[in-house]
């Protein structure tokens, strides 16, 4: 089921609430009489304003609806072509323009403006690549949308001695981001709103730096209606005070426009603000991989070891083949084979998490099977013979007599295998599963902060120490029960 946008929720509130009750800002008489605030925009600039299923959506649309609600009216969105949008305002076709319009001296001669945000140009890179300053563009392949502020800025840079290896102008922003994603470009220069929107919704991208100082964007209002300018200004200020404008920005961009700042310099500040949230998320996935593949590996390893000790020649042969196959090939190869090759061979498509757990479980089971076999064979054979003499079946004697003693003896080597397994989980980064080391590596590459690898080391150490403590407690319980 499709979630309603924030704009839709605001529109419903505007309709549901009586106009007199919803208007906490003085409403100009001309709006009060019509009950409508006519808002023009050029719906070709996602995420600020664009068409979705034929309807205008975006940050500016949500803002228009929020302001109209505060004025006690509803917003009527009028889609206009950019070239004639100011002329339409001056001819009275609509009341305001909310369409990411830069406030310039030339435009201020044609309309009044109420500033609602500041927007800069930013550098967008793939995760693992970082361009922070304009000097770092030298020798890079740079993507940009043709005939934009970013494009003109890049051309001026070349006159300052900053020479990119290649500038690739694309007709639209979608094509420019596609080029960056497919590695046809190393960095993209674009408006902050666009860069942050795509980075928020696609982990491939990261906003790594600010290309230009933020410039003001504003709501254009007909100069013949100063009372409307005052009302819009008051409504906007009220939305700032109660946090609605900030919430809209966080919804669309992950933060306020114009507030892009470089990551903190100090290790602890950087870790708290940037690294630790992602490291903790990666640690959670590593724990899932360790526990999931560990439990499955123990169960499968026990079955394989019992098959290897079986009197049936076929089961013994299958167990030997299994153990030889998974101990004789690299775990990395097994992960790649299960994730990439199986879909082509038998049309079995596994997600990254499932493929990682399957590969790790199958590999761990081969090693655990040998541990279990050695443990079972270390139990005096006389115990099995005595159990059989008392009338127990082989399966019952194994379950009641042999295996309990085996588990007690094998607890340390099994824990060692699980500890090794927790570190082997780092190999699943080759299938882009964001476990602990993958996240740390991405942070180190994106922000050029290799010291964050210390957090990965601490995470793996924490897992191993926790397993060791739990194993010692279990061992003491088993000893007490045996006594």
């Amino acid at each position: 089921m499709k979630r309603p946008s924030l704009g839709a929720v605001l529109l419903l509130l505007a309709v549901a609430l009586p106009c007199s009750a919803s208007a906490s800002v003085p409403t100009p008489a001309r709006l009060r009489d019509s009950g409508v605030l006519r808002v023009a925009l050029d719906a070709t600039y996602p995420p600020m304003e664009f068409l979705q299923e034929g309807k205008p959506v975006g940050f500016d649309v949500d803002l228009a609806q929020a302001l109209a609600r505060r004025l006690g009216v509803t917003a009527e969105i009028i889609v206009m072509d950019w070239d004639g949008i100011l002329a339409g305002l001056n001819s009275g076709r609509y009341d305001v323009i909310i369409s990411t319009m830069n406030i310039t001296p030339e435009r201020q001669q044609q309309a009044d403006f109420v500033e609602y945000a500041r927007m800069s140009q930013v550098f967008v890179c793939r995760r693992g690549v970082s361009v922070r300053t304009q000097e770092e563009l030298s020798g890079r392949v740079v993507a940009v949308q043709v005939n934009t502020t970013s494009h003109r800025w890049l051309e001026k840079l070349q006159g300052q001695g900053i020479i990119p290896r290649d500038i690739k102008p694309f007709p639209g922003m979608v094509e420019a981001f596609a080029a960056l994603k497919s590695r046809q470009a190393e960095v993209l220069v674009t408006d902050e709103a666009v860069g942050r929107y795509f980075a928020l919704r696609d982990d491939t991208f990261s906003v790594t730096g600010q290309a230009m100082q933020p410039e003001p964007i504003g709501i254009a209002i007909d100069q013949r209606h100063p009372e409307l300018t005052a009302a819009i200004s008051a409504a906007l200020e009220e939305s700032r005070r109660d946090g609605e404008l900030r919430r809209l920005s966080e919804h669309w961009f992950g933060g306020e426009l114009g507030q892009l700042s470089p990551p903190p310099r100090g290790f602890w500040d950087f870790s708290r603000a940037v690294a630790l949230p992602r490291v903790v998320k990666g640690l959670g996935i590593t724990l899932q991989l360790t526990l999931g593949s560990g439990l499955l590996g123990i169960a499968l390893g026990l079955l394989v070891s019992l098959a290897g000790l079986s009197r049936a020649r076929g089961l013994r042969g299958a167990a030997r083949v299994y153990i030889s196959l998974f101990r004789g090939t690299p775990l990395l190869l097994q992960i790649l084979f299960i994730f990439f090759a199986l879909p082509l061979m038998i049309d079995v498509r596994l997600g990254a998490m499932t493929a990682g757990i399957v590969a790790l479980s199958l590999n761990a089971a081969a090693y655990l099977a040998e541990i279990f076999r050695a443990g079972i064979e270390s139990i005096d054979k006389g115990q099995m013979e005595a159990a059989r003499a008392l009338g127990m079946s082989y399966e019952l004697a194994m379950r009641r007599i042999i295996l309990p003693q085996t588990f007690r003896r094998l607890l340390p080597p099994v824990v060692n295998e699980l500890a090794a397994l927790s570190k082997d989980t780092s190999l699943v980064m080759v299938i882009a599963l964001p476990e602990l080391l993958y996240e740390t590596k991405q942070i180190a590459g994106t922000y050029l902060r290799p010291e964050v690898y210390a957090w990965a080391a601490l995470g793996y150490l924490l897992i191993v120490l926790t397993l060791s403590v739990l194993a010692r407690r279990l061992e003491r319980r088993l000893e007490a029960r045996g006594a």
Side-chain angles (χ1 to χ4, degrees), residues 418-433:
L418 291 179
L421 178 64
S422 70
K423 291 173 280 187
D424 287 341
T425 58
S426 61
L427 294 175
V428 301
M429 66 188 301
V430 299
I431 56 175
L433 189 60

Side-chain angles (χ1 to χ4, degrees), residues 107-123:
R107 288 172 179 162
Q108 286 178 311
Q109 295 178 5
Q110 303 177 62
D112 288 333
F113 281 89
V114 175
E115 180 183 323
Y116 65 92
R118 286 182 173 256
M119 188 186 302
S120 64
Q121 304 295 306
V122 296
F123 303 125

